[in-house]
Structures are given as structure tokens and as C-alpha cells.
Amino acid sequence: MAKPISIEVWNPSGKYRVVSTKSMPGTRWIRLLTDQDCRVEICTEKKTILSVEDILALIGNRCNGVIGQLTEDWGEVLFSALKRAGGSAFSNMAVGYNNVDVNAANKYGIAVGNTPGVLTETTAELAASLSLAAARRIVEADQFMRAGLYDGWLPHLFVGNLLKGQTVGVIGAGRIGSAYARMMIEGFKMNLIYYDLYQATRLEKFVTAYGQFLKANGEQPVTWKRAASMEDVLREADVISLHPVLDKTTYHLVNKERLAIMKKEAILVNASRGPVIDEAALVEHLKANPMFRVGLDVFEDEPFMKPGLAELKNAVVVPHIASASKWTREGMATLAALNVLGKIKGYPIWGDPNQVEPFLDENSPAPAACPSIVNAKQLGLPSSKL
Ligand SMILES: NC(=O)C1=CN([C@@H]2O[C@H](COP(=O)(O)OP(=O)(O)OC[C@H]3O[C@@H](n4cnc5c(N)ncnc54)[C@H](O)[C@@H]3O)[C@@H](O)[C@H]2O)C=CC1
Ligand SMILES: O=C(O)C(=O)CO
């Protein structure tokens, strides 16, 4: 028999049973659900990553919707169980949903929500932080200082890379990639080269206008280029940040051969998903090229790192915290809860999943809509007229 799972219950007499597989930041998301007749059950197990069996136990025999996490394996087993329990809604508390088998959800008529928009700037800021930390060797220098090794200023001590006037490369210039590019261009006057399947028109316009502004003020203008291939970005850029979705086309996008064409002193940042880089090949490349540096927020076998990575001084590593600002994490919880609530209540789908501010305004009621349902079209769900 499955071990009972510990839970915390809000509004026990609520008509609709909504389960959250984790406690999430803030309380607004709970209030939004309980105000609309939901009984909210939050899993309080100490275990960080819940197994499919744990989640099956949480779903039980009657469950209208689940808010889940990117660490969980949402496929056939869980969606069929949710359907049997009378459920119709699932939302990841994340924008990325590579942990979700959307085809399986479609098969059981379950709506799949995600949380775009609210984490764009926060995630881009962490990618920018990693770029700076790697360029200026901040973590190495911090460790040196704490180890009591500093005995005076030296001309060669922790010399790193200047960003101004260099080229920033972005692979995947969507919401986060474009926000990151703007930060690096505006903040450090870097030139841009990017690769995406689609043209990033707004980003291009921004760089053109900013370049004109700099020129008018007697400064060197910044430039942009849309690369015809990813290899062009890898060859030309001094700092490269990866921001694509993880799917079949981006798995091991950066591999041994592609690392080999990058500049010897380049900086590579990954705040997308770990498997976008072949991490074992990266470890070998970092060992062979001590001036090549990386900033990693995500890892191929999370929570683990590939052998050797932790020992390398030219790698800055942080534990998948790119979206970890208070405002963003509370907003993600709100959007995930409203996705589930909206589907249970039969609300339509919000017209633009990138314009989510109305859902985040604590001083007005949330719109009666689902902020972002990735399989809305496949399920034939109606769009909001708001
Ligand atoms: N480390 C973290 O905490 C976070 C990670 N993420 C990751 O970042 C990803 C991107 O998020 P958003 O910018 O909001 O998504 P988005 O959908 O706005 O941008 C993704 C971009 O990748 C491009 N793309 C897809 N396949 C490609 C390929 N083969 N080559 C080049 N470009 C390709 C798309 O055309 C799109 O422009 C998420 O899917 C998620 O996995 C997102 C938030 C936080
Ligand atoms: O939203 C996502 O995709 C994340 O990785 C969480 O920060």
C-alpha cells in the first residue's frame, strides 16, 4: 500500500479539490482558490522531488486540478489518474514544460497551464549576473579572499574580460533571451548577434534605436545581426547565453564540436534547461581551455552535476535559481493557481499570455480567465474577449 502523504488543507468544505504538490511562495494564490469554492491541499512532504507514485497518492479518487512542479514527470500515468479522479486541469509552476507530455494530457482532455511573462526579467537578470560573475571571476575571487590568500594588489590578480564593445550572442531570442540581450546591450554597450527560428523584430528595433541614441551622443553605436546559423553565433560572440525551450531540436545543441568553434576566452551561460548542453563534453572543454568560462543555472542530470564540474574554477554554478525573486515566484504561484481555477470554472483563455499584469495586481480582482494554457487549441478551449 502507498505510504500516506502529508498535506495541509485550506477551506476544507470547498466544492472543488485542488492539490498543489509543493508549498508555493505567498498566500494570494491560496486565497484566489479558496474564495472561489476550492478546497486546497498542499503537499508538505519533506522530499524535494515527488515520484509519480507520490503524486498518484495525492490525486486520490477525487481531484479537480493539480498545480505541479518542473521536477515532476507528468505523463500518461498521472494524466489518466487525474482524469479518473474527475480532474480537468494541471498547471506547471514554470514557463518551461518539457517535464509534461502534452499529447498525453490532450488524450485525457486535461488543460496544461504554464506561467510565462512573470519570470522574464528575473531570469534574464540571473543570466546577466552569471555573465558578469564569469567575466570578472567573482566566485573565484570571493573564495580566494575568504581563504585568507589576499596579501595585496597585484597587476595580474584575477584579470578577466571587459564586456563593453564586445559581442553578446543569444541563442533563443524569445521573451527571456530578448530581455537578457537588452540588459547586456544597454548596460554594457555590447553588440548583438542572435540565432532563433523566428525574427526578433522588437529586439532588432531596440538595438537600432539605442545605437542611434549612442551615436547622437558621440558614442560608438551598438549593432545587431541575426545569424543564419547557430555556429555563426558561437564563432563570433564573446559572451553567449542560451535561452531556447528544451525539445528534440535543442537537446545537446551545444556539443563537443560546437564548443570547439567558440573563442578560447568566450563565456557561455545557460539558464534555460541543462540538456541544451552536453555537460560531459563541456567539462572536458573547460579542463582543456582554462580561459573559457561558464555560468550555469541548470544541469543535465539535475540535481546532480557531471563528474569533474564542481572542481573547475572556470565554472560558476548555481542551483536553478534564475526565477527566484520574491515577486516572480509569488506571481508564478498566482498564475499557476489561476490556470487551474479558470479551467475548473470554465473560464476562457486569456488573449495574450505575455501580458499577465492584470492577474498580478493585488488591488483588483483577477480577470475571469486562464492566464496561459499551452494546449488550449488542441482542446478547443475558447479565448477571452477581455
Ligand atoms: N533557469 C530557470 O529558472 C528558467 C528557465 N527557463 C527556460 O527558458 C526557456 C525560455 O523561456 P521564454 O523565453 O519565456 O520562452 P520563449 O518561448 O519566449 O522563448 C524561447 C525561444 O526559443 C526559440 N527556439 C526554439 N527552438 C529553437 C532552436 N532549435 N534554436 C534556436 N531557438 C529556438 C523560440 O523560437 C523562442 O523564441 C523556457 O522554456 C524554460 O525552459 C525559463 C524560466 C526560468
Ligand atoms: O519557469 C521555468 O521554466 C523554470 O525553470 C523555473 O524557474
Side-chain angles (χ1 to χ4, degrees):
M1 222 179 71
K3 192 171 134 302
I5 294 268
S6 56
I7 50 163
E8 171 186 308
V9 181
W10 294 74
N11 192 29
S13 58
K15 178 172 167 194
Y16 309 103
R17 180 170 176 258
V18 173
V19 168
S20 174
T21 62
K22 283 278 166 227
S23 150
M24 300 189 292
T27 50
R28 182 168 177 246
W29 70 273
I30 301 174
R31 216 170 45 248
L32 287 165
L33 289 167
T34 52
D35 282 357
Q36 296 210 43
D37 213 6
C38 295
R39 168 191 166 102
V40 178
E41 294 189 17
I42 304 171
C43 177
T44 52
E45 287 283 316
K46 289 278 176 280
K47 205 170 167 185
T48 304
I49 301 178
L50 296 187
S51 66
V52 166
E53 288 67 36
D54 295 331
I55 301 171
L56 281 174
L58 283 171
I59 291 172
N61 300 326
R62 189 182 75 78
C63 179
N64 299 90
V66 180
I67 303 165
Q69 300 297 324
L70 60 84
T71 47
E72 298 158 5
D73 181 8
W74 279 85
E76 176 78 28
V77 176
L78 291 181
F79 287 123
S80 59
L82 184 54
K83 177 76 180 172
R84 279 195 305 278
S88 65
F90 165 78
S91 183
N92 239 14
M93 183 208 168
V95 63
Y97 54 92
N98 52 288
N99 62 312
V100 180
D101 179 347
V102 180
N103 288 330
N106 292 342
K107 181 170 154 193
Y108 295 102
I110 310 279
V112 173
N114 72 340
T115 63
V118 71
L119 34 62
T120 300
E121 300 294 325
T122 296
T123 305
E125 284 179 13
L126 196 275
S129 310
L130 287 174
S131 306
L132 289 174
R136 300 304 301 275
R137 306 173 63 183
I138 289 172
V139 175
E140 271 181 87
D142 177 276
Q143 286 167 350
F144 175 88
M145 197 73 195
R146 288 171 200 271
L149 297 171
Y150 181 51
D151 54 9
W153 190 91
L154 279 172
H156 290 294
L157 194 60
F158 291 110
V159 172
N161 304 7
L162 173 72
L163 299 181
K164 187 175 181 207
Q166 303 246 302
T167 299
V168 61
V170 173
I171 294 173
R175 285 176 291 251
I176 298 168
S178 290
Y180 166 83
R182 285 184 58 145
M183 285 173 196
M184 302 309 282
I185 294 161
E186 219 172 337
F188 306 105
K189 303 195 174 67
M190 298 185 82
N191 298 309
L192 171 69
I193 179 165
Y194 78 92
Y195 177 71
D196 197 295
L197 308 179
Y198 303 97
Q199 187 173 7
T201 314
R202 284 179 63 190
L203 177 59
E204 291 175 2
K205 280 190 182 149
F206 164 78
V207 187
T208 303
Y210 188 50
Q212 284 162 354
F213 167 81
L214 290 174
K215 202 170 168 193
N217 284 281
E219 291 191 64
Q220 181 72 23
V222 288
T223 60
W224 62 265
K225 181 153 95 182
R226 181 180 178 197
S229 71
M230 210 189 86
E231 281 75 8
D232 288 349
V233 177
L234 297 178
R235 253 184 235 108
E236 284 184 37
D238 301 287
V239 179
I240 293 159
S241 198
L242 306 172
H243 297 285
V245 297
L246 172 63
D247 63 14
K248 284 200 288 287
T249 70
T250 59
Y251 176 79
H252 282 192
L253 199 69
V254 176
N255 57 18
K256 184 175 178 221
E257 291 70 34
R258 287 179 170 149
L259 285 164
I261 63 174
M262 292 176 70
K263 294 183 181 176
K264 294 281 177 227
E265 297 192 6
I267 287 161
L268 177 66
V269 169
N270 189 10
S272 61
R273 285 289 183 266
V276 173
I277 300 181
D278 176 347
E279 200 173 299
L282 178 66
V283 170
E284 291 314 308
H285 191 77
L286 287 164
K287 282 183 187 163
N289 297 277
M291 302 305 283
F292 183 95
R293 290 195 281 273
V294 286
L296 303 175
D297 178 54
V298 286
F299 304 88
E300 193 165 351
D301 308 318
E302 260 173 60
F304 306 106
M305 287 187 272
K306 290 286 187 202
L309 185 58
E311 286 78 52
L312 290 168
K313 284 195 171 11
N314 46 347
V316 176
V317 290
V318 295
H320 203 149
I321 54 167
S323 67
S325 72
K326 183 174 180 288
W327 182 80
T328 288
R329 287 284 167 88
E330 289 186 3
M332 289 163 75
T334 295
L335 296 179
L338 290 174
N339 281 330
V340 168
L341 177 71
K343 179 64 175 63
I344 291 173
K345 294 287 219 171
Y347 295 159
I349 314 302
W350 191 242
D352 183 353
N354 298 319
Q355 302 298 324
V356 289
E357 291 78 9
F359 295 97
L360 304 173
D361 180 358
E362 303 211 5
N363 300 315
S364 6
C370 298
S372 176
I373 300 292
V374 303
N375 57 348
K377 268 206 189 91
Q378 290 92 325
L379 298 187
L381 302 175
S383 278
S384 163
K385 302 270 182 304
L386 299 171

